[in-house]
């Protein structure tokens, strides 16, 4: 008996250590994390099936999205998607989503549409955080349609600067000068990184709170940076300078950029590549030299698709 006592004590010690470490190991194991619905809702894309049915869309937006609805309708039809409809839109210039939420109920078209349960996709275009409207609209939509998807357009920064105070009411100051052509791909990524990181973290947190991924990112800002790099490299047909995609210093989109934005939204909403779709009217109207329009269209489609499949919150992966 005496000779077995040390071995017994060692066995007890090993058992104690295993019991002590088991919860820690379990909590941090990859398998445990992947099985957690809270984690799954807030992390990388999973392979979801393409959507073939036309979606019922409502957009609460600002001017960086204003031209998208008719272009997106044209793109969906050219892709053979039947039944897509914008059940409504609400426009507020330079708006955070919370401004759309606080429209009085009698006039609030977004709330009214969501309460019918007849919205498949709610498009939001917040500018800067904090913006409690994203969560409020997601919760309301989920109440009335458990399958609703909320898409958030992560935009390109106005004036090529991360300056949220530009949008503090009642007055929006404008910088004295903006030179879009002075930017490089590296400088644009550096300028945008804080905005992208903050928006992604906010969306992950809201999805975790909702218990599943309800909110999806449309990475328009990332696609715009990629397009500007192509322009700088001389690889964007019909576009000679970065200024060619903007109407003004703030950065309102010209036709090529309008098409890029629309392709990104199409890719997220339907989980399909836009590559190979016909030239939309917005690009045909540019009347570029023979063959240039087709090349530009293909480039915009590819850049939009690349941005979408590489964003961990888009809900889209390349197959």
């Amino acid at each position: 008996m005496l000779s077995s006592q040390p071995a017994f004590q060692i066995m007890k010690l090993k058992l104690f250590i295993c019991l002590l470490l088991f919860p820690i190991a379990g909590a941090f194991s990859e398998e445990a994390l992947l099985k957690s619905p809270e984690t799954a809702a807030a992390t990388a894309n999973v392979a979801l099936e393409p959507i073939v049915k036309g979606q019922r869309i409502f957009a609460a937006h600002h001017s960086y999205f204003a031209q998208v609805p008719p272009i997106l309708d044209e793109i969906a039809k050219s892709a053979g998607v039947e039944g897509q409809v914008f059940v409504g839109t609400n426009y507020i210039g330079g708006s955070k989503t919370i401004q759309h939420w606080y429209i009085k109920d009698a006039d609030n078209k977004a709330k009214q549409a969501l309460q019918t349960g007849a919205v498949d996709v709610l498009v939001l275009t917040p500018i800067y955080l904090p913006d409690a409207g994203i969560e409020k609209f997601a919760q309301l939509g989920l109440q009335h349609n458990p399958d609703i998807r909320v898409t958030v357009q992560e935009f390109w920064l106005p004036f090529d600067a991360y300056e949220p105070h530009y949008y503090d009411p009642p007055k929006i100051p404008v910088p004295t000068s903006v030179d879009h052509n002075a930017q490089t791909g590296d400088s644009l990524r550096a300028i945008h990184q804080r905005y992208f990181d903050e928006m992604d973290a906010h969306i992950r947190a809201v999805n975790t709170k909702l218990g599943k991924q309800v909110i999806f990112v449309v990475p328009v800002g990332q696609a715009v940076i990629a397009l500007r790099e192509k322009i700088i490299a001389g690889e964007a047909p019909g576009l000679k300078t970065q200024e060619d995609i903007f109407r003004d210093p703030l950065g309102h989109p010209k036709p090529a950029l309008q098409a890029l934005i629309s392709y990104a939204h199409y890719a997220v909403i339907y989980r399909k590549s836009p590559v190979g779709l016909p030239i939309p009217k917005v690009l045909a109207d540019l009347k570029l030299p023979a063959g240039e329009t087709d090349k530009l269209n293909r480039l915009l489609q590819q850049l939009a698709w690349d941005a979408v499949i590489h964003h961990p919150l888009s809900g889209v992966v390349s197959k």
Side-chain angles (χ1 to χ4, degrees):
M1 289 291 293
L2 290 175
S3 62
S4 64
Q5 187 68 18
F8 178 70
Q9 293 296 338
I10 291 171
M11 182 177 70
K12 283 174 62 179
L13 179 61
K14 287 181 176 179
L15 178 62
F16 174 75
I17 292 171
C18 287
L19 290 173
L20 182 66
L21 295 179
F22 176 77
I24 299 174
F28 288 97
S29 71
E30 183 178 1
E31 183 179 3
L33 286 172
L34 289 174
K35 288 182 178 178
S36 164
E38 292 80 11
T39 302
T43 55
N45 289 331
V46 294
L48 300 172
E49 289 300 314
I51 294 172
V52 297
K53 181 182 178 182
Q55 298 293 281
R56 300 167 297 178
I57 305 168
F58 191 100
H61 67 95
H62 52 63
S63 57
Y64 274 19
F65 182 85
Q67 294 84 15
V68 169
I71 302 172
L72 186 55
D73 280 344
E74 182 185 357
I75 290 172
K77 287 177 184 175
S78 73
V81 175
E82 296 183 3
Q84 175 179 289
V85 59
F86 273 84
V87 297
T89 62
N90 193 73
Y91 168 82
I92 302 176
S95 58
K96 290 185 176 182
T97 299
I98 194 65
Q99 293 172 250
H100 295 268
W101 180 263
Y102 283 128
I103 296 171
K104 62 182 181 180
D105 288 350
D107 300 323
N108 199 312
K109 294 185 291 182
K111 287 183 181 178
Q112 292 166 9
L114 292 176
Q115 287 164 351
T116 68
V119 176
D120 300 310
V121 176
L122 172 66
V123 178
L124 302 177
T125 62
I127 48 172
Y128 298 113
L129 296 175
D131 192 340
I134 299 170
E135 180 177 343
K136 288 180 182 293
F137 272 119
Q139 288 176 332
L140 179 63
L142 201 56
Q143 257 184 335
H144 298 278
N145 179 359
D147 297 320
I148 195 170
R149 289 177 296 149
V150 177
T151 65
V152 167
Q153 176 177 286
E154 279 189 356
F155 73 161
W156 61 101
L157 292 176
F159 308 117
D160 282 346
Y162 183 86
E163 295 289 355
H165 69 268
Y166 285 147
Y167 287 84
D168 287 342
K171 184 178 179 181
I172 302 176
V174 177
T176 54
S177 65
V178 176
D179 184 359
H180 294 301
N181 295 326
Q183 299 295 342
T184 66
D186 288 342
S187 70
L188 287 168
R189 277 187 288 274
I191 293 166
H192 284 73
Q193 199 58 55
R194 180 180 172 187
Y195 168 76
F196 291 153
D197 288 347
E198 288 178 349
M199 194 62 70
D200 289 349
H202 180 72
I203 289 169
R204 284 190 175 94
V206 175
N207 279 333
T208 298
K209 190 172 181 179
L210 296 174
K212 65 175 183 176
Q213 187 171 6
V214 177
I215 307 173
F216 298 82
V217 169
V218 182
V220 169
Q222 292 86 337
V224 172
I225 293 172
L227 174 58
R228 293 176 73 170
E229 287 186 299
K230 290 291 185 182
I231 295 171
I232 293 166
E235 298 172 356
L239 303 174
K240 295 181 179 179
T241 71
Q242 296 177 68
E243 295 282 359
D244 289 343
I245 63 173
F246 300 121
R247 289 195 338 237
D248 51 35
L250 188 142
H252 285 108
K254 282 185 176 180
L257 186 46
Q258 294 168 18
L260 179 70
I261 301 163
S262 302
Y263 282 134
H265 280 276
Y266 168 84
V268 172
I269 291 172
Y270 292 102
R271 302 176 189 143
K272 293 179 182 178
S273 170
V275 177
L277 293 179
I279 298 167
K281 184 177 184 298
V282 69
L283 293 183
D285 287 347
L286 291 176
K287 302 189 185 308
L288 298 177
E292 292 289 280
T293 308
D294 186 63
K295 292 177 183 177
L296 176 60
N297 186 46
R298 183 64 178 248
L299 175 66
L300 299 176
Q301 292 170 341
Q302 191 65 58
L303 292 176
W305 181 239
D306 287 346
V308 167
I309 63 175
H310 287 102
H311 197 290
L313 292 172
S314 70
V316 185
V317 293
S318 179
K319 293 187 178 181

